[in-house]
Amino acid sequence: MQIGKIIGTAVSTKKDEKLEGLRFQIVEYIEPSGESTGNHVIAVDSVGAGVGEVVLVACGSSARLTNTSKDKPVDAIIMAIVDSLEGEGKTYYQSY
Amino acid sequence: MQIGKIIGTAVSTKKDEKLEGLRFQIVEYIEPSGESTGNHVIAVDSVGAGVGEVVLVACGSSARLTNTSKDKPVDAIIMAIVDSLEGEGKTYYQSY
Amino acid sequence: MQIGKIIGTAVSTKKDEKLEGLRFQIVEYIEPSGESTGNHVIAVDSVGAGVGEVVLVACGSSARLTNTSKDKPVDAIIMAIVDSLEGEGKTYYQSY
Amino acid sequence: MQIGKIIGTAVSTKKDEKLEGLRFQIVEYIEPSGESTGNHVIAVDSVGAGVGEVVLVACGSSARLTNTSKDKPVDAIIMAIVDSLEGEGKTYYQSY
Amino acid sequence: MQIGKIIGTAVSTKKDEKLEGLRFQIVEYIEPSGESTGNHVIAVDSVGAGVGEVVLVACGSSARLTNTSKDKPVDAIIMAIVDSLEGEGKTYYQSY
């Protein structure tokens, strides 16, 4: 998985019929330190994550292993909201 | 998924027989800001997207999860046309 | 898919038994403009493409979706020979 | 597989229900020489590896081929702890 | 597939039980010219390749399509030893 921050939403009317009702979030990939990597992905939300939240994104066929995304043409899924990223004797990130 | 802009079409006569009738679009990957990333992909169109449109591209096995691409040797599919890319209190992109 | 130009052939005697008879082409990835990206892939040929030809390469599990590559340990397949790459009012590439 | 060093743990309360009980490790990818590549991945642990250990990470659908990760939306798994990395007449890395 | 040179072996005692008996080779990716790309992969050997040999590596789900790797959590396999890499009127690489 990669760590990312949700920075917005992609809106689409004309899309594959299996994609109706899915929420496409714009995710900016970040380092554990919180710094942006400069790369983005559009990921389907399966956990109710909103703009500003730090999340984990799973890509590839694994993106279809949630109830939300099963058998759908999506290659990236938000499958967890990050509370904290913790190292040995240090905290990289804390959500609140 | 990645965001991209269709900049043309790849024409091929000699190809795997399962690929007959598919439309191969040349997609330039872009940032949410609209800036080109400098990378391209050739993606099969499943939503009737044309040159100039901003689209979402799904890659890997997920590219075979549309009716257009099922069981075919393609690794990238255009599965949505983007209306807008919206952040908190700002619009990255608007199609019209 | 990625666009590439065949620049040679990889010869292998000692290989997985399922790979007997396959042709491994050395493909240099190119931009639609024809410029080399500097990256290469070894792809199995499924369409009779030869050195010098511009082709499309599908990677990952999709590379096993041709009759040539079915159930074989290969992750890249040449599934189309490119006739032309056409933009709006311009031609990026023409094979003849 | 890629070689990495575990540098911490990602904690998540709100996640896909299939992910309950999994341990998400923050892995910094390293070269055989031990030097950091500057890239990270969040990988599920299947072998009891802890912070500071050098491990192998398998990505993609292969990440779901352990008992820990079967049918779950995860795309990276720690499937081995590295004892040593040995070249011809030299040792790149030794764990103790 | 990518071209690589085996530069060593990764030794692991604590690993997923399905991995018992597999040989994990450290492969340095190279260009057809023989120059290193600077990237490495740990790949399971399925053809009896040893240190110093130039090989082809298949990644992703295709890495599980050999008898050695079937249903195992590995994402890279050595499936061929390269005898030569031949271009039009030139030889990039010759193994002996």
Side-chain angles (χ1 to χ4, degrees):
Chain A
M1 280 66 64
Q2 293 296 317
I3 314 165
K5 190 177 201 166
I6 302 178
I7 62 164
T9 302
V11 180
S12 169
T13 309
K14 202 168 177 185
K15 57 192 164 193
D16 186 273
E17 60 187 13
K18 296 188 208 166
L19 302 176
E20 285 302 327
L22 297 189
R23 191 167 178 81
F24 293 92
Q25 301 287 37
I26 310 172
V27 178
E28 183 175 39
Y29 284 134
I30 60 175
E31 299 292 350
S33 63
E35 206 181 347
S36 169
T37 67
N39 297 317
H40 300 81
V41 70
I42 305 296
V44 167
D45 174 39
S46 74
V47 291
V51 172
E53 286 190 289
V54 170
V55 296
L56 297 185
V57 177
C59 291
S61 59
S62 300
R64 302 194 307 268
L65 272 280
T66 69
N67 292 336
T68 306
S69 53
K70 194 170 182 314
D71 296 332
K72 295 179 183 171
V74 301
D75 64 3
I77 192 99
I78 296 169
M79 23 59 83
I81 297 175
V82 175
D83 297 332
S84 64
L85 299 170
E86 295 173 4
E88 217 164 9
K90 88 186 259 194
T91 297
Y92 296 103
Y93 165 80
Q94 180 81 31
S95 69
Y96 48 89
Chain B
M1 279 68 63
Q2 295 296 317
I3 314 165
K5 190 177 201 166
I6 302 179
I7 62 165
T9 302
V11 180
S12 168
T13 310
K14 202 167 175 185
K15 58 193 163 194
D16 185 272
E17 60 187 11
K18 296 189 209 168
L19 302 175
E20 284 302 328
L22 296 189
R23 190 166 179 83
F24 293 92
Q25 300 289 39
I26 311 172
V27 178
E28 183 175 38
Y29 284 134
I30 61 175
E31 301 292 350
S33 63
E35 207 181 346
S36 169
T37 66
N39 297 317
H40 300 82
V41 71
I42 306 296
V44 168
D45 174 39
S46 75
V47 292
V51 172
E53 285 189 289
V54 170
V55 296
L56 296 185
V57 177
C59 290
S61 58
S62 301
R64 302 194 307 268
L65 272 279
T66 70
N67 292 336
T68 307
S69 54
K70 194 172 183 311
D71 296 331
K72 295 178 183 172
V74 302
D75 64 3
I77 193 99
I78 296 169
M79 25 57 85
I81 298 175
V82 175
D83 297 332
S84 63
L85 299 171
E86 296 173 4
E88 217 164 9
K90 88 186 258 192
T91 298
Y92 296 104
Y93 165 81
Q94 181 79 31
S95 69
Y96 48 90
Chain C
M1 280 67 64
Q2 294 296 317
I3 314 165
K5 190 177 201 167
I6 301 179
I7 62 165
T9 302
V11 180
S12 168
T13 309
K14 203 168 175 185
K15 57 191 164 195
D16 185 272
E17 60 186 11
K18 296 188 209 168
L19 302 175
E20 285 302 327
L22 297 189
R23 190 166 180 84
F24 292 93
Q25 300 289 39
I26 309 172
V27 178
E28 184 175 37
Y29 284 134
I30 60 175
E31 300 291 351
S33 64
E35 207 181 345
S36 170
T37 67
N39 296 319
H40 300 82
V41 70
I42 306 295
V44 167
D45 174 40
S46 75
V47 290
V51 172
E53 285 190 288
V54 170
V55 296
L56 297 185
V57 178
C59 290
S61 59
S62 300
R64 301 194 307 268
L65 272 281
T66 69
N67 291 337
T68 306
S69 55
K70 195 171 181 314
D71 296 331
K72 295 179 183 172
V74 301
D75 64 3
I77 192 99
I78 296 168
M79 24 58 83
I81 298 175
V82 175
D83 297 333
S84 64
L85 299 171
E86 295 173 5
E88 216 163 10
K90 87 186 258 193
T91 297
Y92 296 103
Y93 165 80
Q94 182 79 33
S95 68
Y96 47 89
Chain D
M1 280 66 63
Q2 294 295 318
I3 313 166
K5 190 178 201 164
I6 302 178
I7 63 164
T9 301
V11 180
S12 168
T13 309
K14 202 167 175 185
K15 58 191 165 196
D16 185 90
E17 61 186 12
K18 296 189 211 167
L19 302 176
E20 283 303 325
L22 297 189
R23 192 167 178 82
F24 293 92
Q25 301 288 37
I26 310 171
V27 178
E28 183 176 39
Y29 284 134
I30 60 175
E31 300 292 350
S33 64
E35 206 179 348
S36 170
T37 67
N39 296 317
H40 300 82
V41 71
I42 306 296
V44 167
D45 174 40
S46 75
V47 291
V51 172
E53 286 190 289
V54 170
V55 296
L56 296 184
V57 177
C59 290
S61 60
S62 300
R64 302 194 307 267
L65 272 280
T66 69
N67 291 336
T68 307
S69 55
K70 195 169 181 315
D71 296 331
K72 295 180 183 171
V74 301
D75 64 3
I77 192 99
I78 297 169
M79 25 57 82
I81 298 175
V82 174
D83 296 334
S84 64
L85 299 170
E86 295 172 5
E88 215 163 10
K90 86 186 260 193
T91 298
Y92 296 102
Y93 165 80
Q94 181 81 31
S95 68
Y96 48 86
Chain E
M1 280 65 65
Q2 294 295 318
I3 314 165
K5 190 177 200 167
I6 302 178
I7 63 165
T9 302
V11 180
S12 169
T13 309
K14 203 167 174 185
K15 58 191 165 196
D16 185 272
E17 60 186 11
K18 295 188 210 167
L19 302 176
E20 284 302 327
L22 296 190
R23 191 168 179 81
F24 292 92
Q25 301 288 38
I26 310 171
V27 178
E28 183 175 39
Y29 283 133
I30 60 175
E31 300 291 351
S33 64
E35 206 180 347
S36 170
T37 67
N39 296 318
H40 300 82
V41 71
I42 306 295
V44 167
D45 174 40
S46 75
V47 291
V51 172
E53 286 190 288
V54 170
V55 296
L56 297 185
V57 178
C59 290
S61 58
S62 301
R64 302 194 307 268
L65 272 281
T66 69
N67 292 336
T68 306
S69 54
K70 195 170 180 317
D71 296 330
K72 295 179 183 172
V74 301
D75 64 3
I77 192 99
I78 297 169
M79 24 58 82
I81 298 175
V82 175
D83 297 332
S84 64
L85 299 170
E86 296 172 5
E88 215 163 11
K90 87 186 259 194
T91 297
Y92 296 103
Y93 165 80
Q94 181 79 34
S95 69
Y96 47 89

